[in-house]
Each structure stands twice: as structure tokens, then as C-alpha cells.
């Protein structure tokens, strides 16, 4: 015979399992703002790890602005750094979360980056760091700049910059091959040079994209490091922007036939060894000391809602976030305004009757931010 106490324990244990299995809602996490001079990171990850990441981003920026010869007075970049896959999926939706580990976009409100830190894995954190370096290279290259780079170079050079490291205080290293690109080259081989040089985002399918990134990295590495052709390459970019044929203009700028270029390109691949250069971080750079602030629940929910409305990746999450805010007692007029703005963007114009008297009373009585 089973005692009542045993039944009670089984029921309680079953309740705990059910509670633990319940889905986690976006907004329930503890969120932080990690702020430096040029970066603002909103994260539910480990704030200490994110501080280290932001310090590296500031170092990277100091080196990259000089190497790229761009205006250092760039706008501050906001980064949404999800602590794990669940939070990332809450921000971008399950489908995008399966396909990506990071996104970068520009909207009317400005540029932003989104990345999955996945704090459970050092490898994932390194990948997140490389992603941010890659995308920030694009940000610097195209910010206030009318120059257009060929597809292979735009992505290949960003990959070249992505593995920058800081082994010693005041110094950086550059030139290592990203692991993912090494795997592509190993298993898929080189993309034919003629095809690579003529590749665009429009004539390259999803399967070839990884080939453009990997082979573009190799050709960029040779041009910047082994070929010592950086100055000649600038002439190619000028001709390319004037509408010249990408193959013929590269031949002319480098003083090499396409056959000679192909030979050097293949030789760089066959060597399997890629030079790494070491340099000094600019003397004027001062080490960043990012500030960490734990965000109040209402503020973090408003920030997340604003991002979802701005990006449009997962608008369903906005409704869920509003529901969570209402039940948690942190609903605000700002949140209502964000929802209204998102509805306007997608052409969803609710009639006044859609809002019940209870909902209207909740909005009217909710405290501001």
C-alpha cells in the first residue's frame, strides 16, 4: 500500500519536473549593459567575459582604423550578445537561430550587431569574437565611404582581419586562417580564380558562398602579406569602381597575367603555410575599461522590444514580451509605443475596439520608464 506521503512526494516531484521543463520566456534573463567609448553591448551572458570582448573590440578598432586608413570618428555600435542559443532564438526566431551564429544590419535607426556568445563553449565564444571583428571591418570599410569592393575581397579581407589577436600588451598579430575557412579549403579546394574574381552576391548561390569567403581569404592574404601588392591593389579598386572588367583590371594593376596570378594563387594554397605578421597597437590608444551595469527588468524588456521592432527578425516574440511584461508588472507606455511602431511598419492597424477596457486601463495606469 502506497502512503499518502509517498503520493504527495511523487506529485511534488512531478510538479518540479514540469516546472523545470517549462519554456523560458525572453525577458526573464538577467541583462547587462557593457559600455565603452565605441561599443555598447546588451547581454545576458557573463558580464566579465563580455568586458574582455569589448576591450578586444576597442583594440581591434584602434588597429583597423589605421590599417584601413578610414576616419576614426565612426558612430558607436550597439551589439546584442545573447548568452546562449535559447536567448538568440528568442531574438531572431528558431529558423535563423539554426542557420546563423550572428547577424549584422543597418536600419533607419543605425547599425547593430547580434551574436550568440554561447558561454558554455570556449570555441563558440571565439567564433563570436571573429564574427564581430569580421562585421566591424565591413562597418569601418563602408561607413561614409562610396568605394565599392569586389565581393571576394570584401568578404575575404574581412575574414583576414577576423583572426586578429593580442598576444602581448601593446601588440597585435594578424594573418592566421579562420578554422572554418581552412575546413572549406581542405574539403572543397580552391574556387577557380576567374570565377572568384567575377563573383557577386547576385551570381553566387548559397552553396558557393563559403567558397568565396575561403578562397577570398586566401587571395586577400597573398595580396596583403606574401604578394606585397597593397598599393597596386588600390589601383585595381579604382579601376573596378570605374566599371573596368575585374579580371583585366587586376592583371593591369598587378602587372601579371591571369595565368601568373593563378599560379601564385594555387602555390599559396599548396604551401599550406600562411605568414602571420606582428605589429604595435597605435601609441595613442588607451586601454579600454568597459563599464558594466545590471539593467532593471523594465529597462531590459524595453531595450529587447526595441531591438525586435527595429530588426523585424522575430516579431512574434514582441507579443510574448508584452505579455510577460504585463504579468510581471513592468508594462510601460514606452513598451506600448514600441508595439504601435512595429505594427505600423508591418501595416497592422488595429481598430480601437481591439483593445479591451481591461487592457486600456492597464496601459493608462502603468508607470512610465
Amino acid at each position: 500500500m502506497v502512503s499518502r506521503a509517498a503520493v504527495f512526494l511523487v506529485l511534488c516531484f512531478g510538479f518540479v519536473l514540469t516546472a523545470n521543463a517549462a519554456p523560458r520566456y525572453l525577458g526573464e534573463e538577467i541583462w547587462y549593459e557593457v559600455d565603452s567609448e565605441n561599443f555598447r553591448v546588451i547581454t545576458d551572458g557573463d558580464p566579465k567575459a563580455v568586458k574582455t570582448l569589448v576591450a578586444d573590440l576597442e583594440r581591434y578598432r584602434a588597429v583597423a582604423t589605421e590599417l584601413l586608413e578610414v576616419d576614426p570618428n565612426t558612430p558607436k555600435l550597439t551589439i546584442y550578445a545573447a548568452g546562449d542559443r535559447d536567448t538568440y532564438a528568442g531574438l531572431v526566431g528558431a529558423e535563423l537561430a539554426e542557420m546563423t551564429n550572428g547577424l549584422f544590419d543597418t536600419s533607419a535607426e543605425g547599425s547593430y550587431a547580434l551574436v550568440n556568445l554561447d558561454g558554455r563553449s570556449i570555441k563558440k565564444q571565439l567564433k563570436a569574437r571573429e564574427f564581430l571583428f569580421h562585421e566591424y571591418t565591413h562597418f569601418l570599410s563602408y561607413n561614409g565611404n562610396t568605394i565599392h569592393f569586389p565581393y571576394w575581397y570584401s568578404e575575404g579581407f574581412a575574414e583576414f582581419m577576423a583572426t586578429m589577436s593580442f598576444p602581448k600588451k601593446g601588440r597585435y598579430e594578424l594573418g592566421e586562417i579562420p578554422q572554418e575557412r581552412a575546413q572549406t579549403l581542405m574539403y572543397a579546394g580552391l574556387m577557380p580564380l576567374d570565377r572568384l574574381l567575377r563573383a557577386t552576391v547576385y551570381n553566387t548561390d548559397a552553396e558557393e558562398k563559403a567558397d568565396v569567403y575561403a578562397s577570398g581569404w586566401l587571395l586577400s592574404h597573398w595580396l596583403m602579406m606574401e604578394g606585397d601588392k597593397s598599393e597596386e591593389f588600390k589601383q585595381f579598386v579604382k579601376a573596378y569602381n570605374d566599371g573596368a572588367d575585374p579580371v583585366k583590371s587586376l592583371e593591369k594593376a598587378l602587372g601579371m597575367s591571369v595565368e601568373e596570378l593563378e599560379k601564385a594563387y594555387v602555390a599559396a594554397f599548396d604551401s599550406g603555410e600562411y605568414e602571420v605578421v606582428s605589429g604595435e597597437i597605435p601609441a595613442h590608444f588607451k586601454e579600454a575599461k568597459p563599464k558594466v551595469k545590471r539593467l532593471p527588468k523594465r529597462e531590459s524588456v524595453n531595450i529587447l522590444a526595441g531591438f525586435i521592432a527595429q530588426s523585424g527578425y522575430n516579431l512574434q516574440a514582441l507579443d510574448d514580451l508584452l505579455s510577460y511584461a504585463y504579468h510581471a508588472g513592468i508594462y510601460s507606455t514606452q513598451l506600448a509605443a514600441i508595439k504601435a511602431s512595429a505594427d505600423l511598419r508591418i501595416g497592422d492597424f488595429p481598430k480601437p475596439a481591439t483593445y479591451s477596457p481591461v487592457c486600456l486601463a492597464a496601459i493608462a495606469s502603468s508607470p512610465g520608464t
Side-chain angles (χ1 to χ4, degrees), residues 101-179:
N101 271 311
L103 297 163
F104 187 94
D105 206 353
T106 299
S107 70
E109 288 84 2
S111 297
Y112 60 84
L114 172 68
V115 67
N116 173 26
L117 296 174
D118 200 344
R120 296 165 296 179
S121 166
I122 296 299
K123 184 177 178 181
K124 288 283 184 68
Q125 290 185 61
L126 178 60
K127 192 169 185 178
R129 181 176 176 275
E130 289 185 359
F131 166 80
L132 289 173
F133 284 9
H134 176 112
E135 294 301 337
Y136 199 65
T137 302
H138 289 320
F139 180 74
L140 291 174
S141 298
Y142 291 106
N143 181 63
N145 192 350
T146 58
I147 294 176
H148 178 64
F149 295 103
Y151 182 38
W152 65 267
Y153 179 77
S154 179
E155 299 302 344
F157 183 71
E159 286 292 283
F160 172 76
M161 296 290 287
T163 56
M164 185 183 294
S165 61
F166 309 98
K168 296 180 181 179
K169 185 176 181 180
R171 299 194 65 83
Y172 70 89
E173 286 187 356
L174 185 61
E176 288 189 6
I177 185 171
Q179 185 177 0

Side-chain angles (χ1 to χ4, degrees), residues 89-105:
L91 292 168
V92 304
E95 186 175 351
L96 265 180
E98 286 296 320
M99 297 168 55
T100 66
N101 271 311
L103 297 163
F104 187 94
D105 206 353

Side-chain angles (χ1 to χ4, degrees), residues 12 37 58 147 156 205 213 216 233-234 259 267 276 299 317 339:
C12 284
E37 183 178 355
E58 289 286 3
I147 294 176
D205 60 32
Y213 277 54
F233 184 73
K234 291 178 182 178
E259 291 78 17
V276 174
E299 184 178 354
K339 169 62 174 170

Side-chain angles (χ1 to χ4, degrees), residues 5-22:
V7 172
F8 177 75
L9 287 172
V10 169
L11 288 174
C12 284
F13 184 64
F15 174 77
V16 170
L17 287 178
T18 303
N20 288 340

